[in-house]
Amino acid sequence: MQSKGVVRFFLIFMALVCLYQFILMFPTNSVESAADSYGVTMGKGDPAQEKQYRSNYLDSVSSETVFSIPYIKDYTYQDLKASQLGLGLDLKGGMSVVLQVDVKEFVNELADTQDETFATALANAEKALANSQSDFISIFSDEWSKIANGKKLADIFLLNAKMREGSAELNTTAINANSSDAAVITRLRQEANENVDLTFKLLKQRIDKLGVTQPNISLDEARDLIMVELPGIDNPERARSLLQAAASLEFWDAFRFSDPGINAAFLSANERLKKSGVGGDAEIQTEKTFRLDTAWSVIDSLGNPDRGSNYTIDTINTGDGNEGLVAKGPLFDIFQMNRGELGQAPMGIASKNKKDLITKYLARPDIKALFPSNLEFRWSKDPFKPYQGSDGEQVSFGDNMYELYAIKKAPGSTSAPLEGDRVTDARPSQDQNGEVVVSLKMDNIGAQEWGRMTTKAANAGNREVAIVLDNEVVSCPRVINPITSGDTQISGTFSVTEARDLANVLQIGKLPVTTSIIQESIVGPTLGAENIQRSTRALIFGFAMLIVFMILYYAGGGVVAVIALLANMFFIFGTLASIGTVLTLPGFAGIILTIGMAVDANVIIFERIREELRAGKSNMAAIRDGFQQSYSAIIDANVTTILTAFVLAYFGLGPIKGFATILIIGVISSLFTAVLVGRLIIEWWMGKEGRTLGFWTGWSKNVMSNVNVDWMGLRKVGYMISGALILISLGAIFTKGFDLGVDFKGGYSYNVQFDQPVDAQTARATLTEAFGSAPVVKAVDTENTLSITTNYLIDDQAKDAQDRVLAKLHEGVKTITGSTLSLADFSNSASAGTKVTAASKVGPTIADDIKDSSYQSAFFALLLIFLYLFIRFRKWEFSAGAVAALFHDVIITLGMFALFWGVLPFSMEIDQAFVAAILTVIGYSVNDTVIVFDRIREFINTYTGKSKEEIFNLAINNTLSRTVITSGTTMIVVLTLF
């Protein structure tokens, strides 16, 4: 009676907790309905405006109390959303990325050395990181020890004052000249961990400012990876910029193109490049002088540009004996010197695709030596914006032209005079011309330094000050009057959204360590909505089929099983919401699969009750003994599944980790509802006088009740069939291989939905011309949709690499369709015509990481199952037999995927979801094995006079009905998923 009281207590407690979570959905929906109405009213039919106003409404109430439970808690909208079951990207649409934290650059900055051995160790560690699951510091330590040849790390890092200081708060130890390499590595790891953690926290703050509902961000400390999911985001470029921007804000004095020696240096650089054989054989042309009619100034003390104010300069001298020389050659063929059209600060202008080459030219030591030693070049962040000149003509240099600036460093210093850490407030605003700007306010020290810089610039002839963000010039205003208040503005070609994002990033602060995207996935909202519809249909249909079968087969017992299943669903969704789980498509599959597996415990119990009833026991005695004799088999079967799910949760990434979490919760909930809640219901029902409960119907009473197959006699036939299947499978695996998805080989993958039927072979041929190599093109089950995977530019680390891949895909798709489809419409998943509905990028590093984690997860799953069974059955033969059976099932499953790849009319791709499925197969397969083993253990003690062969046959025959029924019910559910 006491145990029943405990069960009732937990049942009531869990029911109240889950009910509480469901109740919170109502005020959440009320707030969101109000936001929808506000968006429709204010947006006036413009979908983009409606979405923006809706977002603004939710932002405005995010921190306000919108729902209260007296004496318990006040809820803001943000609190309510945090308590809801969130939808993942594949169900809601949005973007997910995996960010690699660049620890190498951080270590390099700490050292600040030109030591070649150190540089080589860093480079080797970076290469090794691509194929390792270890952290960068450990890899660097190994690489350094290989080539140090007596050098000490302490000698390198002692140059950094921070490394010479310890911190009790951060548990760091100071290093000195006698510190061992191990001590320095320990300190480096502490510093790296601290900065990676800080980067993670700052990114969380940035994402909160992004206005995404229920974002999900997690840190993999062992591999310095940050996983970010942004459901519902519809501007991937904005998200990429926000996640990767270091937000390093700097204020520099700037050179002018007319400063003495600057023009001469450019001319000499061009000539030297030509003589060294760089570029073509363009002739040198001369022009004695050139006249500058108009140059523009900035009249605002805050640095706001005013193209309307101008003054005249007659002639500009180049000086140094090269007066008036204007040359054509390797540099000037691709770089147009400033003649005053750009104002005083820019050195010149060049197209976007020539910037890297010009930077390379100017960084050559022999070229760099021509310019002042304290000069460094920086490109503008945004392309040149055409303007109207004083003569009324528009001044333009074409599209995507960028200005080159020269910043002035103080002698002996590499740091900017003023940096963004002095900014206390940043917000978007407008200047007097109505242009969108970002207004900054600085602390006292920043205000003093800014006052000194602007005073110096104003007194030196109203010179310019360059405002640099992440090594790109966002503004270079001319200072008329000193600014001593600590207030200034950053002007540029900002949209309101861009200004708000920049203000948010600057206010939060710069990332201490840079990040790069090594995996990315984008799902359009249309595809997400379709996934929800399909998943819901699968859930309802699978559940309905199980209800019908259980009632038709087990009669009254089936009704109890259905009630337990409904309770199971209630507890699963309530638990997932209470712990803040994000439900993804694999997670939905996990729920549906859990329903199928939840029946397993009921079937084990009910089949044992049927055995006891056939043996002549009363209804009550059969129920009591049926439950009692089933416990060990149920526990063993479910523990092995939980073990594999734990392995999957540890090694999996993103949606796969969510699948594992749901599987764990589902199995535990199934055990509770089937075994404990089910028994409470049965005992309550049977406790009333005159009541009985049936466990079969007329047609199902004797199904598989008298099976008497000599399985041991047929074992040689079984060996032959299994041996043949294994040989075929191994042959297919080693000769044909697998259709590896982008998860395992790296690359870019797109789902393209066409507005007309398109043949996959034709598309592949056309896209091969566009990419220069053959992509993988497969038809998917959505109408007129192709999956296109390419490794084009996958190793290119440039920021615009992904844009160039999409442009090439767009180029090929236009050829396929023969249309004038714009790139903007093609990349917009909400557009009506041919479009990209989903996109993903997996870099080589993360692909290797996924591959390694897949092998490790399979190995550890098998190892844990072996150890558990060894402990439970006390004989290694049981463990070895179970693991051998698992190898048998896995090899044949893998072999079928290899054998039928390209044969069957649907995808046989191997990806992360496949790994989750294989581990689920391992957990599910061992269930049957454990059930038989458990019955063998029981019969060995019961039938002492029987031979092993007889006991084995009896155990298999007695559990055959359970095996067939549970496999059949799971098959029903899996078929609905398929």
Side-chain angles (χ1 to χ4, degrees), residues 391-411:
D391 57 358
E393 295 293 327
Q394 188 180 49
V395 179
S396 175
F397 297 90
D399 297 330
N400 285 323
M401 300 295 286
Y402 288 76
E403 296 158 296
L404 180 67
Y405 292 87
I407 63 171
K408 185 181 296 184
K409 292 195 169 185

Side-chain angles (χ1 to χ4, degrees), residues 713-723:
L714 296 173
R715 66 183 182 274
K716 292 183 179 178
V717 176
Y719 295 157
M720 292 174 61
I721 295 173
S722 289

Side-chain angles (χ1 to χ4, degrees), residues 467-707:
I467 302 176
V468 179
L469 179 67
D470 292 340
N471 289 322
E472 294 178 326
V473 177
V474 292
S475 182
C476 194
R478 183 167 178 248
V479 180
I480 304 299
N481 299 309
I483 307 172
T484 58
S485 63
D487 297 320
T488 191
Q489 291 177 340
I490 302 176
S491 60
T493 54
F494 297 130
S495 66
V496 174
T497 299
E498 289 170 340
R500 183 171 61 246
D501 285 347
L502 177 57
N504 288 336
V505 167
L506 292 178
Q507 190 159 4
I508 290 166
K510 71 176 182 180
L511 300 180
V513 188
T514 58
T515 60
S516 59
I517 294 176
I518 58 175
Q519 181 182 0
E520 178 182 310
S521 179
I522 301 171
V523 178
T526 304
L527 183 59
E530 186 177 337
N531 286 338
I532 290 178
Q533 293 172 359
R534 291 185 173 199
S535 301
T536 304
R537 286 199 299 267
L539 180 64
I540 294 172
F541 184 75
F543 196 80
M545 293 289 286
L546 285 180
I547 289 174
V548 171
F549 172 80
M550 293 299 288
I551 293 176
L552 289 180
Y553 194 86
Y554 288 114
V559 174
V560 173
V562 170
I563 295 173
L565 277 176
L566 290 171
N568 188 29
M569 294 295 296
F570 177 77
F571 290 138
I572 287 175
F573 280 106
T575 303
L576 292 176
S578 65
I579 64 175
T581 304
V582 177
L583 184 61
T584 61
L585 198 57
F588 225 122
I591 290 175
I592 298 170
L593 187 59
T594 298
I595 293 172
M597 296 174 71
V599 177
D600 183 64
N602 291 114
V603 171
I604 292 173
I605 294 168
F606 293 168
E607 286 300 305
R608 191 58 186 251
I609 290 173
R610 285 158 63 108
E611 285 183 41
E612 303 297 336
L613 288 171
R614 293 190 191 103
K617 293 184 179 181
S618 67
N619 204 255
M620 283 296 294
I623 290 171
R624 183 189 65 247
D625 293 345
F627 272 95
Q628 192 69 36
Q629 296 296 327
S630 300
Y631 287 152
S632 77
I634 291 171
I635 291 171
D636 289 337
N638 285 278
V639 166
T640 52
T641 302
I642 289 177
L643 288 175
T644 56
F646 272 121
V647 170
L648 198 59
Y650 181 80
F651 288 102
L653 291 173
I656 304 307
K657 195 182 290 286
F659 169 82
T661 302
I662 289 172
L663 196 59
I664 292 169
I665 292 171
V667 170
I668 294 173
S669 177
S670 299
L671 277 172
F672 179 75
T673 53
V675 177
L676 300 177
V677 175
R679 185 164 187 176
L680 277 179
I681 295 172
I682 291 174
E683 290 185 352
W684 167 78
W685 178 262
M686 297 293 291
K688 303 293 183 180
E689 188 176 349
R691 287 182 179 176
T692 186
L693 187 67
F695 290 91
W696 52 51
T697 57
W699 71 272
S700 69
K701 181 176 181 180
N702 295 312
V703 172
M704 289 184 286
S705 61
N706 297 305
V707 177

Side-chain angles (χ1 to χ4, degrees), residues 330-352:
L331 180 60
F332 292 155
D333 281 343
I334 57 177
F335 177 70
Q336 183 175 336
M337 283 288 293
N338 182 12
R339 296 188 179 187
E341 311 96 322
L342 307 172
Q344 287 288 294
M347 301 293 104
I349 197 166
S351 64
K352 181 178 181 179

Side-chain angles (χ1 to χ4, degrees), residues 105-126:
E105 187 60 33
F106 172 71
V107 172
N108 195 34
E109 288 179 2
L110 275 181
D112 193 18
T113 180
Q114 302 298 320
D115 187 273
E116 291 185 4
T117 305
F118 177 79
T120 302
L122 277 181
N124 291 344
E126 185 176 35

Side-chain angles (χ1 to χ4, degrees), residues 679-874:
R679 185 164 187 176
L680 277 179
I681 295 172
I682 291 174
E683 290 185 352
W684 167 78
W685 178 262
M686 297 293 291
K688 303 293 183 180
E689 188 176 349
R691 287 182 179 176
T692 186
L693 187 67
F695 290 91
W696 52 51
T697 57
W699 71 272
S700 69
K701 181 176 181 180
N702 295 312
V703 172
M704 289 184 286
S705 61
N706 297 305
V707 177
N708 188 23
V709 178
D710 181 14
W711 298 103
M712 293 300 99
L714 296 173
R715 66 183 182 274
K716 292 183 179 178
V717 176
Y719 295 157
M720 292 174 61
I721 295 173
S722 289
L725 289 173
I726 288 175
L727 286 175
I728 293 171
S729 297
L730 291 174
I733 291 170
F734 289 113
T735 59
K736 190 176 181 182
F738 299 109
D739 179 17
L740 294 178
V742 69
D743 290 350
F744 286 102
K745 61 186 180 182
Y748 293 92
S749 182
Y750 302 89
N751 271 17
V752 179
Q753 186 179 77
F754 292 85
D755 57 3
Q756 58 191 11
V758 174
D759 177 65
Q761 297 295 335
T762 303
R764 183 182 296 109
T766 304
L767 291 170
T768 299
E769 295 181 13
F771 289 124
S773 60
V776 177
V777 180
K778 294 179 287 191
V780 297
D781 53 1
T782 306
E783 186 179 2
N784 296 336
T785 299
L786 296 180
S787 170
I788 301 166
T789 303
T790 176
N791 58 5
Y792 178 69
L793 297 184
I794 191 58
D795 294 318
D796 192 327
Q797 299 301 314
K799 290 183 179 180
D800 65 341
Q802 194 157 345
D803 296 332
R804 285 184 280 147
V805 176
L806 184 62
K808 280 291 183 184
L809 176 64
H810 169 247
E811 176 186 316
V813 168
K814 280 206 306 182
T815 304
I816 294 169
T817 59
S819 66
T820 57
L821 176 70
S822 70
L823 180 59
D825 288 339
F826 178 64
S827 58
N828 182 6
S829 60
S831 64
T834 299
K835 60 190 176 184
V836 174
T837 58
S840 64
K841 168 201 171 184
V842 179
T845 301
I846 196 70
D848 289 336
D849 200 40
I850 292 171
K851 195 182 302 181
D852 291 341
S853 66
S854 301
Y855 295 141
Q856 290 176 350
S857 57
F859 171 78
F860 282 108
L862 293 173
L863 178 63
L864 287 176
I865 289 172
F866 179 90
L867 293 175
Y868 175 78
L869 294 180
F870 180 74
I871 293 170
R872 284 289 290 152
F873 292 99
R874 308 292 177 86

